[in-house]
Amino acid sequence: DQIFLVGAEWKGFEPQEKVNWYLTTKNLIQDLSQLKLNQAVVLLKGARRFSFESIAEILAEKGMKPFWK
């Protein structure tokens, strides 16, 4: 289990072993290639300003099947 937080408002969040903080979505995208997400379930939740759709596109390119509801 891992948690990825994006946005300046999370900067003061108490660091934990399985929590990764990124200032921007672009920073997270840069790390995606290094993350081991095999058979992971990924929940993308956030305001439109974070453009999480771009993360979903990259995950789909890696063979993950997005589920939209």
Side-chain angles (χ1 to χ4, degrees):
D1 298 340
Q2 294 182 6
I3 299 174
F4 302 97
L5 304 173
V6 177
E9 57 273 2
W10 294 106
K11 187 175 184 177
F13 186 80
E14 185 68 31
Q16 297 179 17
E17 183 179 330
K18 295 184 179 188
V19 177
N20 299 292
W21 172 76
Y22 297 91
L23 181 59
T24 66
T25 302
K26 183 178 179 180
N27 297 135
L28 171 57
I29 289 172
Q30 290 171 342
D31 279 0
L32 275 179
S33 63
Q34 300 171 26
L35 299 175
K36 296 179 182 176
L37 299 174
N38 297 347
Q39 298 186 7
V41 174
V42 178
L43 169 66
L44 298 173
K45 182 166 175 54
R48 291 270 183 219
R49 67 185 170 104
F50 291 111
S51 302
F52 286 168
E53 297 87 357
S54 58
I55 296 172
E57 291 172 9
I58 292 169
L59 294 176
E61 289 172 5
K62 290 180 151 223
M64 297 183 82
K65 296 179 183 177
F67 173 76
W68 300 97
K69 188 171 183 178

